[in-house]
Short mmCIF file of all heavy atoms in Angstrom, two decimals:
data_model
loop_
_atom_site.label_atom_id
_atom_site.label_comp_id
_atom_site.label_asym_id
_atom_site.label_seq_id
_atom_site.Cartn_x
_atom_site.Cartn_y
_atom_site.Cartn_z
N MET A 1 0.85 -1.21 0.00
CA MET A 1 0.00 0.00 0.00
C MET A 1 0.88 1.25 0.00
O MET A 1 1.77 1.38 0.82
CB MET A 1 -0.91 -0.01 1.23
CG MET A 1 -1.96 1.07 1.17
SD MET A 1 -3.25 0.85 2.40
CE MET A 1 -2.26 0.79 3.92
N ASP A 2 0.59 2.14 -0.92
CA ASP A 2 1.38 3.35 -1.00
C ASP A 2 0.86 4.42 -0.05
O ASP A 2 -0.35 4.59 0.10
CB ASP A 2 1.37 3.90 -2.43
CG ASP A 2 2.52 3.33 -3.24
OD1 ASP A 2 3.37 2.65 -2.64
OD2 ASP A 2 2.55 3.54 -4.46
N CYS A 3 1.76 5.13 0.54
CA CYS A 3 1.40 6.20 1.46
C CYS A 3 1.61 7.54 0.77
O CYS A 3 2.69 7.83 0.27
CB CYS A 3 2.26 6.10 2.72
SG CYS A 3 2.12 7.51 3.79
N LEU A 4 0.55 8.35 0.73
CA LEU A 4 0.62 9.64 0.05
C LEU A 4 1.64 10.57 0.68
O LEU A 4 2.34 11.32 0.00
CB LEU A 4 -0.75 10.31 0.07
CG LEU A 4 -1.65 10.04 -1.13
CD1 LEU A 4 -2.93 10.85 -1.01
CD2 LEU A 4 -0.93 10.39 -2.44
N LYS A 5 1.71 10.51 1.98
CA LYS A 5 2.63 11.39 2.70
C LYS A 5 4.09 11.03 2.37
O LYS A 5 4.91 11.92 2.16
CB LYS A 5 2.37 11.28 4.21
CG LYS A 5 3.20 12.22 5.02
CD LYS A 5 2.37 13.09 5.91
CE LYS A 5 3.27 14.14 6.56
NZ LYS A 5 2.55 15.18 7.25
N CYS A 6 4.38 9.73 2.33
CA CYS A 6 5.72 9.29 1.92
C CYS A 6 6.04 9.83 0.53
O CYS A 6 7.13 10.31 0.27
CB CYS A 6 5.81 7.76 1.88
SG CYS A 6 6.01 6.99 3.49
N LYS A 7 5.07 9.71 -0.37
CA LYS A 7 5.26 10.15 -1.74
C LYS A 7 5.50 11.65 -1.79
O LYS A 7 6.41 12.12 -2.45
CB LYS A 7 4.01 9.78 -2.56
CG LYS A 7 4.34 9.30 -3.96
CD LYS A 7 3.08 8.97 -4.72
CE LYS A 7 2.76 7.49 -4.62
NZ LYS A 7 1.62 7.11 -5.45
N ASP A 8 4.67 12.40 -1.07
CA ASP A 8 4.82 13.86 -1.00
C ASP A 8 6.19 14.25 -0.48
O ASP A 8 6.88 15.09 -1.08
CB ASP A 8 3.78 14.45 -0.03
CG ASP A 8 2.46 14.69 -0.73
OD1 ASP A 8 2.35 14.35 -1.92
OD2 ASP A 8 1.55 15.22 -0.08
N LEU A 9 6.58 13.64 0.64
CA LEU A 9 7.82 14.04 1.28
C LEU A 9 9.05 13.64 0.47
O LEU A 9 10.01 14.40 0.39
CB LEU A 9 7.91 13.44 2.69
CG LEU A 9 6.92 14.03 3.71
CD1 LEU A 9 6.92 13.22 5.00
CD2 LEU A 9 7.25 15.48 4.00
N SER A 10 9.00 12.47 -0.17
CA SER A 10 10.16 12.11 -0.98
C SER A 10 10.21 12.92 -2.26
O SER A 10 11.30 13.24 -2.75
CB SER A 10 10.23 10.59 -1.23
OG SER A 10 9.10 10.15 -1.89
N GLY A 11 9.02 13.31 -2.77
CA GLY A 11 9.00 14.21 -3.92
C GLY A 11 9.59 15.56 -3.56
O GLY A 11 10.34 16.16 -4.33
N ALA A 12 9.26 16.06 -2.37
CA ALA A 12 9.79 17.34 -1.90
C ALA A 12 11.31 17.27 -1.74
O ALA A 12 12.02 18.18 -2.14
CB ALA A 12 9.15 17.72 -0.56
N LEU A 13 11.78 16.16 -1.17
CA LEU A 13 13.22 15.99 -0.99
C LEU A 13 13.93 15.97 -2.34
O LEU A 13 14.98 16.60 -2.50
CB LEU A 13 13.51 14.70 -0.20
CG LEU A 13 14.97 14.32 -0.03
CD1 LEU A 13 15.77 15.45 0.63
CD2 LEU A 13 15.10 13.06 0.80
N GLU A 14 13.34 15.26 -3.28
CA GLU A 14 13.93 15.17 -4.60
C GLU A 14 14.05 16.54 -5.27
O GLU A 14 15.08 16.87 -5.85
CB GLU A 14 13.08 14.24 -5.46
CG GLU A 14 13.85 13.54 -6.56
CD GLU A 14 13.04 12.40 -7.13
OE1 GLU A 14 12.77 11.43 -6.40
OE2 GLU A 14 12.65 12.51 -8.30
N SER A 15 12.98 17.35 -5.17
CA SER A 15 13.04 18.66 -5.83
C SER A 15 13.99 19.60 -5.11
O SER A 15 14.67 20.40 -5.73
CB SER A 15 11.64 19.26 -5.98
OG SER A 15 11.15 19.70 -4.76
N ARG A 16 14.07 19.48 -3.76
CA ARG A 16 15.05 20.29 -3.02
C ARG A 16 16.47 19.90 -3.43
O ARG A 16 17.34 20.76 -3.56
CB ARG A 16 14.91 20.03 -1.51
CG ARG A 16 13.61 20.47 -0.92
CD ARG A 16 13.64 21.93 -0.51
NE ARG A 16 12.49 22.28 0.29
CZ ARG A 16 11.33 22.67 -0.20
NH1 ARG A 16 11.15 22.78 -1.49
NH2 ARG A 16 10.34 22.97 0.62
N HIS A 17 16.68 18.61 -3.63
CA HIS A 17 18.00 18.15 -4.02
C HIS A 17 18.37 18.69 -5.40
O HIS A 17 19.49 19.17 -5.60
CB HIS A 17 18.04 16.62 -4.03
CG HIS A 17 19.38 16.07 -4.43
ND1 HIS A 17 19.59 15.42 -5.62
CD2 HIS A 17 20.58 16.12 -3.81
CE1 HIS A 17 20.87 15.09 -5.71
NE2 HIS A 17 21.50 15.49 -4.63
N THR A 18 17.40 18.66 -6.31
CA THR A 18 17.62 19.19 -7.66
C THR A 18 17.98 20.67 -7.58
O THR A 18 18.93 21.13 -8.23
CB THR A 18 16.36 19.01 -8.52
OG1 THR A 18 16.02 17.62 -8.52
CG2 THR A 18 16.59 19.47 -9.94
N GLN A 19 17.22 21.42 -6.76
CA GLN A 19 17.48 22.86 -6.63
C GLN A 19 18.85 23.14 -6.04
O GLN A 19 19.54 24.08 -6.44
CB GLN A 19 16.41 23.50 -5.73
CG GLN A 19 15.08 23.65 -6.45
CD GLN A 19 13.99 24.13 -5.51
OE1 GLN A 19 14.26 24.57 -4.40
NE2 GLN A 19 12.74 24.02 -5.94
N TYR A 20 19.26 22.29 -5.09
CA TYR A 20 20.57 22.44 -4.47
C TYR A 20 21.68 22.21 -5.49
O TYR A 20 22.62 23.00 -5.59
CB TYR A 20 20.69 21.46 -3.29
CG TYR A 20 22.07 21.38 -2.70
CD1 TYR A 20 22.67 22.50 -2.13
CD2 TYR A 20 22.78 20.18 -2.68
CE1 TYR A 20 23.94 22.43 -1.57
CE2 TYR A 20 24.04 20.10 -2.13
CZ TYR A 20 24.62 21.23 -1.59
OH TYR A 20 25.87 21.14 -1.05
N VAL A 21 21.55 21.13 -6.26
CA VAL A 21 22.55 20.82 -7.28
C VAL A 21 22.62 21.95 -8.31
O VAL A 21 23.71 22.37 -8.71
CB VAL A 21 22.23 19.47 -7.96
CG1 VAL A 21 23.10 19.24 -9.19
CG2 VAL A 21 22.42 18.32 -6.97
N GLU A 22 21.45 22.48 -8.69
CA GLU A 22 21.42 23.58 -9.66
C GLU A 22 22.09 24.83 -9.10
O GLU A 22 22.85 25.50 -9.79
CB GLU A 22 19.97 23.91 -10.03
CG GLU A 22 19.45 23.02 -11.14
CD GLU A 22 17.95 23.17 -11.35
OE1 GLU A 22 17.33 24.05 -10.73
OE2 GLU A 22 17.41 22.38 -12.13
N ALA A 23 21.82 25.12 -7.83
CA ALA A 23 22.43 26.29 -7.20
C ALA A 23 23.95 26.15 -7.14
O ALA A 23 24.68 27.11 -7.36
CB ALA A 23 21.86 26.51 -5.80
N ARG A 24 24.39 24.92 -6.85
CA ARG A 24 25.83 24.68 -6.75
C ARG A 24 26.53 24.76 -8.09
O ARG A 24 27.69 25.16 -8.16
CB ARG A 24 26.10 23.30 -6.13
CG ARG A 24 26.01 23.32 -4.62
CD ARG A 24 26.63 22.10 -4.03
NE ARG A 24 28.03 21.98 -4.41
CZ ARG A 24 28.83 21.02 -3.97
NH1 ARG A 24 28.37 20.11 -3.15
NH2 ARG A 24 30.08 20.98 -4.33
N SER A 25 25.84 24.35 -9.13
CA SER A 25 26.48 24.32 -10.44
C SER A 25 26.22 25.60 -11.22
O SER A 25 26.53 25.68 -12.40
CB SER A 25 26.01 23.10 -11.23
OG SER A 25 24.63 23.19 -11.44
N SER A 26 25.63 26.57 -10.54
CA SER A 26 25.34 27.84 -11.20
C SER A 26 26.61 28.52 -11.69
O SER A 26 27.67 28.42 -11.07
CB SER A 26 24.61 28.76 -10.23
OG SER A 26 24.61 30.07 -10.73
N ALA A 27 26.49 29.20 -12.83
CA ALA A 27 27.64 29.90 -13.40
C ALA A 27 28.06 31.07 -12.51
O ALA A 27 29.22 31.42 -12.44
CB ALA A 27 27.29 30.42 -14.79
N TYR A 28 27.08 31.64 -11.81
CA TYR A 28 27.38 32.78 -10.92
C TYR A 28 27.74 32.26 -9.54
O TYR A 28 27.01 32.44 -8.57
CB TYR A 28 26.18 33.71 -10.84
CG TYR A 28 25.67 34.12 -12.19
CD1 TYR A 28 24.55 33.52 -12.74
CD2 TYR A 28 26.32 35.12 -12.92
CE1 TYR A 28 24.09 33.87 -13.99
CE2 TYR A 28 25.88 35.49 -14.17
CZ TYR A 28 24.76 34.87 -14.71
OH TYR A 28 24.31 35.22 -15.94
N TYR A 29 28.88 31.64 -9.47
CA TYR A 29 29.20 30.93 -8.24
C TYR A 29 29.32 31.86 -7.03
O TYR A 29 28.89 31.51 -5.94
CB TYR A 29 30.49 30.11 -8.39
CG TYR A 29 30.68 29.20 -7.23
CD1 TYR A 29 29.85 28.08 -7.07
CD2 TYR A 29 31.65 29.47 -6.26
CE1 TYR A 29 29.98 27.26 -5.99
CE2 TYR A 29 31.78 28.63 -5.17
CZ TYR A 29 30.95 27.53 -5.05
OH TYR A 29 31.08 26.71 -3.96
N HIS A 30 29.88 33.06 -7.22
CA HIS A 30 30.05 33.98 -6.09
C HIS A 30 28.70 34.41 -5.51
O HIS A 30 28.59 34.72 -4.34
CB HIS A 30 30.89 35.19 -6.49
CG HIS A 30 30.30 36.00 -7.61
ND1 HIS A 30 30.24 35.54 -8.89
CD2 HIS A 30 29.73 37.22 -7.63
CE1 HIS A 30 29.67 36.45 -9.66
NE2 HIS A 30 29.34 37.48 -8.92
N VAL A 31 27.70 34.46 -6.38
CA VAL A 31 26.35 34.80 -5.92
C VAL A 31 25.68 33.59 -5.29
O VAL A 31 24.96 33.70 -4.31
CB VAL A 31 25.48 35.31 -7.10
CG1 VAL A 31 24.06 35.60 -6.62
CG2 VAL A 31 26.10 36.54 -7.72
N SER A 32 25.96 32.43 -5.86
CA SER A 32 25.19 31.25 -5.50
C SER A 32 25.71 30.51 -4.27
O SER A 32 25.06 29.60 -3.80
CB SER A 32 25.11 30.29 -6.68
OG SER A 32 26.35 29.67 -6.87
N THR A 33 26.88 30.90 -3.75
CA THR A 33 27.40 30.20 -2.57
C THR A 33 26.41 30.27 -1.42
O THR A 33 26.07 29.26 -0.81
CB THR A 33 28.74 30.81 -2.12
OG1 THR A 33 29.61 30.86 -3.23
CG2 THR A 33 29.37 29.99 -1.02
N GLU A 34 25.91 31.48 -1.17
CA GLU A 34 24.96 31.67 -0.08
C GLU A 34 23.64 30.97 -0.40
O GLU A 34 23.02 30.34 0.46
CB GLU A 34 24.73 33.17 0.12
CG GLU A 34 24.10 33.49 1.46
CD GLU A 34 23.88 34.99 1.63
OE1 GLU A 34 24.68 35.77 1.08
OE2 GLU A 34 22.90 35.35 2.30
N LEU A 35 23.24 31.10 -1.68
CA LEU A 35 22.01 30.45 -2.12
C LEU A 35 22.12 28.93 -1.98
O LEU A 35 21.21 28.28 -1.47
CB LEU A 35 21.74 30.83 -3.58
CG LEU A 35 20.45 30.27 -4.19
CD1 LEU A 35 19.23 30.93 -3.55
CD2 LEU A 35 20.45 30.50 -5.70
N ALA A 36 23.27 28.39 -2.38
CA ALA A 36 23.48 26.95 -2.28
C ALA A 36 23.42 26.50 -0.82
O ALA A 36 22.88 25.45 -0.51
CB ALA A 36 24.82 26.56 -2.90
N ALA A 37 23.96 27.32 0.08
CA ALA A 37 23.92 27.00 1.50
C ALA A 37 22.48 26.95 2.00
O ALA A 37 22.10 26.06 2.76
CB ALA A 37 24.73 28.01 2.30
N LYS A 38 21.68 27.90 1.53
CA LYS A 38 20.27 27.92 1.90
C LYS A 38 19.53 26.71 1.35
O LYS A 38 18.72 26.09 2.04
CB LYS A 38 19.61 29.20 1.38
CG LYS A 38 19.76 30.37 2.31
CD LYS A 38 19.01 31.58 1.75
CE LYS A 38 19.49 32.86 2.45
NZ LYS A 38 19.37 34.05 1.60
N LYS A 39 19.84 26.37 0.10
CA LYS A 39 19.20 25.20 -0.53
C LYS A 39 19.60 23.93 0.20
O LYS A 39 18.83 22.99 0.31
CB LYS A 39 19.61 25.10 -2.01
CG LYS A 39 19.15 26.25 -2.85
CD LYS A 39 17.65 26.21 -3.09
CE LYS A 39 17.20 27.41 -3.92
NZ LYS A 39 15.76 27.62 -3.85
N ASN A 40 20.85 23.91 0.68
CA ASN A 40 21.32 22.75 1.43
C ASN A 40 20.52 22.58 2.72
O ASN A 40 20.13 21.47 3.08
CB ASN A 40 22.81 22.91 1.73
CG ASN A 40 23.41 21.64 2.29
OD1 ASN A 40 22.96 20.54 1.96
ND2 ASN A 40 24.39 21.77 3.16
N VAL A 41 20.26 23.71 3.40
CA VAL A 41 19.46 23.67 4.62
C VAL A 41 18.05 23.16 4.32
O VAL A 41 17.51 22.30 5.02
CB VAL A 41 19.41 25.07 5.29
CG1 VAL A 41 18.38 25.10 6.42
CG2 VAL A 41 20.77 25.46 5.80
N ASP A 42 17.45 23.69 3.22
CA ASP A 42 16.12 23.25 2.79
C ASP A 42 16.10 21.75 2.54
O ASP A 42 15.17 21.04 2.92
CB ASP A 42 15.71 23.95 1.49
CG ASP A 42 15.30 25.39 1.72
OD1 ASP A 42 15.16 25.78 2.90
OD2 ASP A 42 15.11 26.12 0.74
N MET A 43 17.15 21.28 1.88
CA MET A 43 17.24 19.87 1.52
C MET A 43 17.35 19.00 2.78
O MET A 43 16.67 17.98 2.89
CB MET A 43 18.45 19.64 0.61
CG MET A 43 18.58 18.23 0.11
SD MET A 43 19.97 18.02 -1.03
CE MET A 43 21.36 18.08 0.09
N GLU A 44 18.20 19.42 3.71
CA GLU A 44 18.36 18.66 4.95
C GLU A 44 17.06 18.63 5.75
O GLU A 44 16.73 17.64 6.39
CB GLU A 44 19.50 19.24 5.80
CG GLU A 44 20.88 19.02 5.21
CD GLU A 44 21.16 17.55 4.88
OE1 GLU A 44 20.73 16.66 5.63
OE2 GLU A 44 21.81 17.30 3.86
N ARG A 45 16.33 19.75 5.71
CA ARG A 45 15.05 19.81 6.42
C ARG A 45 14.05 18.84 5.79
O ARG A 45 13.33 18.13 6.50
CB ARG A 45 14.52 21.24 6.38
CG ARG A 45 13.41 21.49 7.38
CD ARG A 45 13.07 22.96 7.45
NE ARG A 45 14.19 23.75 7.95
CZ ARG A 45 14.41 25.03 7.61
NH1 ARG A 45 13.60 25.64 6.77
NH2 ARG A 45 15.42 25.68 8.11
N ALA A 46 14.03 18.79 4.47
CA ALA A 46 13.13 17.87 3.76
C ALA A 46 13.50 16.43 4.06
O ALA A 46 12.63 15.58 4.25
CB ALA A 46 13.19 18.14 2.26
N ARG A 47 14.80 16.16 4.13
CA ARG A 47 15.26 14.81 4.44
C ARG A 47 14.83 14.41 5.86
O ARG A 47 14.39 13.30 6.11
CB ARG A 47 16.80 14.75 4.33
CG ARG A 47 17.34 13.32 4.32
CD ARG A 47 18.82 13.31 4.65
NE ARG A 47 19.62 14.19 3.82
CZ ARG A 47 20.01 13.89 2.58
NH1 ARG A 47 19.70 12.75 2.05
NH2 ARG A 47 20.74 14.73 1.89
N TYR A 48 14.97 15.37 6.77
CA TYR A 48 14.57 15.13 8.16
C TYR A 48 13.07 14.86 8.26
O TYR A 48 12.65 13.94 8.96
CB TYR A 48 14.97 16.35 8.99
CG TYR A 48 14.61 16.24 10.45
CD1 TYR A 48 15.40 15.49 11.32
CD2 TYR A 48 13.49 16.89 10.96
CE1 TYR A 48 15.07 15.38 12.66
CE2 TYR A 48 13.15 16.79 12.30
CZ TYR A 48 13.95 16.03 13.15
OH TYR A 48 13.61 15.93 14.47
N ASP A 49 12.27 15.67 7.56
CA ASP A 49 10.82 15.48 7.55
C ASP A 49 10.46 14.08 7.08
O ASP A 49 9.60 13.41 7.65
CB ASP A 49 10.14 16.50 6.62
CG ASP A 49 10.10 17.89 7.22
OD1 ASP A 49 10.39 18.03 8.42
OD2 ASP A 49 9.78 18.84 6.48
N LEU A 50 11.12 13.64 6.02
CA LEU A 50 10.86 12.31 5.46
C LEU A 50 11.23 11.22 6.47
O LEU A 50 10.47 10.28 6.69
CB LEU A 50 11.64 12.14 4.15
CG LEU A 50 11.48 10.79 3.43
CD1 LEU A 50 10.03 10.53 3.06
CD2 LEU A 50 12.35 10.75 2.18
N GLN A 51 12.39 11.36 7.09
CA GLN A 51 12.83 10.37 8.07
C GLN A 51 11.91 10.32 9.28
O GLN A 51 11.59 9.25 9.79
CB GLN A 51 14.27 10.66 8.51
CG GLN A 51 15.29 10.23 7.46
CD GLN A 51 16.69 10.73 7.77
OE1 GLN A 51 16.88 11.53 8.68
NE2 GLN A 51 17.66 10.29 7.00
N GLU A 52 11.49 11.52 9.72
CA GLU A 52 10.56 11.61 10.85
C GLU A 52 9.26 10.89 10.53
O GLU A 52 8.71 10.18 11.36
CB GLU A 52 10.26 13.08 11.16
CG GLU A 52 11.32 13.77 11.95
CD GLU A 52 11.33 13.31 13.41
OE1 GLU A 52 10.43 13.74 14.16
OE2 GLU A 52 12.21 12.52 13.76
N HIS A 53 8.75 11.09 9.34
CA HIS A 53 7.51 10.45 8.95
C HIS A 53 7.69 8.94 8.81
O HIS A 53 6.86 8.17 9.30
CB HIS A 53 6.98 11.03 7.63
CG HIS A 53 5.83 10.24 7.09
ND1 HIS A 53 4.60 10.23 7.71
CD2 HIS A 53 5.76 9.36 6.06
CE1 HIS A 53 3.80 9.39 7.05
NE2 HIS A 53 4.48 8.85 6.05
N ARG A 54 8.78 8.51 8.18
CA ARG A 54 9.02 7.09 7.98
C ARG A 54 9.10 6.34 9.30
O ARG A 54 8.73 5.16 9.37
CB ARG A 54 10.31 6.87 7.18
CG ARG A 54 10.09 7.08 5.70
CD ARG A 54 11.39 6.92 4.95
NE ARG A 54 11.18 6.94 3.51
CZ ARG A 54 12.18 6.92 2.62
NH1 ARG A 54 13.41 6.91 3.04
NH2 ARG A 54 11.89 6.93 1.34
N ALA A 55 9.58 7.03 10.33
CA ALA A 55 9.71 6.40 11.65
C ALA A 55 8.36 5.99 12.20
O ALA A 55 8.27 5.07 13.02
CB ALA A 55 10.43 7.35 12.61
N VAL A 56 7.29 6.66 11.79
CA VAL A 56 5.96 6.38 12.32
C VAL A 56 5.00 5.84 11.25
O VAL A 56 3.82 5.63 11.53
CB VAL A 56 5.33 7.63 12.99
CG1 VAL A 56 6.17 8.08 14.17
CG2 VAL A 56 5.17 8.76 11.98
N CYS A 57 5.52 5.62 10.04
CA CYS A 57 4.64 5.24 8.93
C CYS A 57 4.53 3.72 8.82
O CYS A 57 5.52 3.04 8.55
CB CYS A 57 5.16 5.84 7.64
SG CYS A 57 4.14 5.40 6.21
N ALA A 58 3.32 3.20 9.02
CA ALA A 58 3.09 1.76 8.95
C ALA A 58 3.31 1.25 7.53
O ALA A 58 3.85 0.16 7.33
CB ALA A 58 1.68 1.44 9.40
N SER A 59 2.88 2.04 6.57
CA SER A 59 3.01 1.65 5.18
C SER A 59 4.49 1.50 4.77
O SER A 59 4.86 0.57 4.07
CB SER A 59 2.30 2.68 4.31
OG SER A 59 2.79 2.65 3.00
N TYR A 60 5.32 2.42 5.26
CA TYR A 60 6.74 2.35 4.95
C TYR A 60 7.38 1.14 5.62
O TYR A 60 8.18 0.43 5.01
CB TYR A 60 7.45 3.64 5.39
CG TYR A 60 8.94 3.60 5.15
CD1 TYR A 60 9.45 3.69 3.85
CD2 TYR A 60 9.82 3.46 6.21
CE1 TYR A 60 10.82 3.63 3.63
CE2 TYR A 60 11.19 3.40 6.00
CZ TYR A 60 11.69 3.49 4.71
OH TYR A 60 13.03 3.43 4.49
N ALA A 61 7.02 0.87 6.86
CA ALA A 61 7.56 -0.26 7.60
C ALA A 61 7.21 -1.56 6.90
O ALA A 61 8.03 -2.47 6.79
CB ALA A 61 7.03 -0.25 9.03
N GLU A 62 5.98 -1.64 6.44
CA GLU A 62 5.50 -2.83 5.74
C GLU A 62 6.29 -3.07 4.45
O GLU A 62 6.70 -4.18 4.16
CB GLU A 62 4.02 -2.62 5.42
CG GLU A 62 3.27 -3.88 5.01
CD GLU A 62 1.79 -3.56 4.80
OE1 GLU A 62 1.17 -3.02 5.74
OE2 GLU A 62 1.31 -3.81 3.70
N ARG A 63 6.48 -1.98 3.70
CA ARG A 63 7.21 -2.09 2.44
C ARG A 63 8.65 -2.51 2.68
O ARG A 63 9.24 -3.23 1.88
CB ARG A 63 7.17 -0.75 1.72
CG ARG A 63 6.95 -0.94 0.24
CD ARG A 63 6.71 0.33 -0.52
NE ARG A 63 6.52 1.49 0.34
CZ ARG A 63 6.57 2.72 -0.13
NH1 ARG A 63 6.80 2.93 -1.40
NH2 ARG A 63 6.37 3.75 0.65
N LYS A 64 9.22 -2.03 3.79
CA LYS A 64 10.60 -2.36 4.11
C LYS A 64 10.71 -3.86 4.44
O LYS A 64 11.67 -4.52 4.05
CB LYS A 64 11.08 -1.51 5.28
CG LYS A 64 12.55 -1.12 5.13
CD LYS A 64 12.95 0.01 6.07
CE LYS A 64 12.67 -0.29 7.51
NZ LYS A 64 13.27 0.71 8.43
N LEU A 65 9.72 -4.37 5.14
CA LEU A 65 9.69 -5.79 5.50
C LEU A 65 9.58 -6.67 4.27
O LEU A 65 10.23 -7.71 4.16
CB LEU A 65 8.51 -6.09 6.43
CG LEU A 65 8.71 -5.77 7.91
CD1 LEU A 65 7.45 -6.06 8.68
CD2 LEU A 65 9.86 -6.58 8.48
N LEU A 66 8.77 -6.22 3.33
CA LEU A 66 8.57 -6.99 2.10
C LEU A 66 9.77 -6.86 1.16
O LEU A 66 9.92 -7.63 0.23
CB LEU A 66 7.31 -6.50 1.37
CG LEU A 66 5.99 -6.73 2.10
CD1 LEU A 66 4.86 -6.03 1.38
CD2 LEU A 66 5.70 -8.22 2.21
N GLY A 67 10.62 -5.89 1.44
CA GLY A 67 11.81 -5.67 0.60
C GLY A 67 11.40 -4.96 -0.65
O GLY A 67 11.84 -5.24 -1.72
ZN1 LIG B 1 4.15 7.19 4.89
#
């Protein structure tokens, strides 16, 4: 059974990661250093949210058991 919240949170993490990579690879590196740092914080927060949810998500636990 798929959990919508898991899907939402991992989608959010994925897009934060994309934004972080884009900020880091920006041509305007002197401008983007601070931006990349902010994106990194956003990404870590999204990762934390996902982990927090997975810790209490029955659907995720079940999927992990099934492999
Ligand atoms: Zn879930």
Side-chain angles (χ1 to χ4, degrees):
M1 190 168 56
D2 270 351
C3 170
L4 268 184
K5 184 125 188 170
C6 282
K7 219 181 264 185
D8 275 3
L9 291 171
S10 59
L13 175 57
E14 208 166 295
S15 73
R16 295 273 191 273
H17 180 249
T18 304
Q19 285 173 13
Y20 171 61
V21 170
E22 276 170 7
R24 278 196 59 177
S25 62
S26 166
Y28 308 101
Y29 190 71
H30 60 290
V31 177
S32 73
T33 308
E34 197 181 328
L35 182 69
K38 274 183 197 152
K39 297 288 179 196
N40 190 32
V41 170
D42 284 351
M43 184 177 74
E44 290 306 323
R45 195 171 296 151
R47 193 198 307 280
Y48 180 79
D49 286 348
L50 179 60
Q51 283 170 351
E52 280 287 284
H53 170 69
R54 280 178 173 175
V56 298
C57 179
S59 158
Y60 178 72
E62 195 176 305
R63 221 172 351 166
K64 216 165 56 171
L65 279 177
L66 294 172

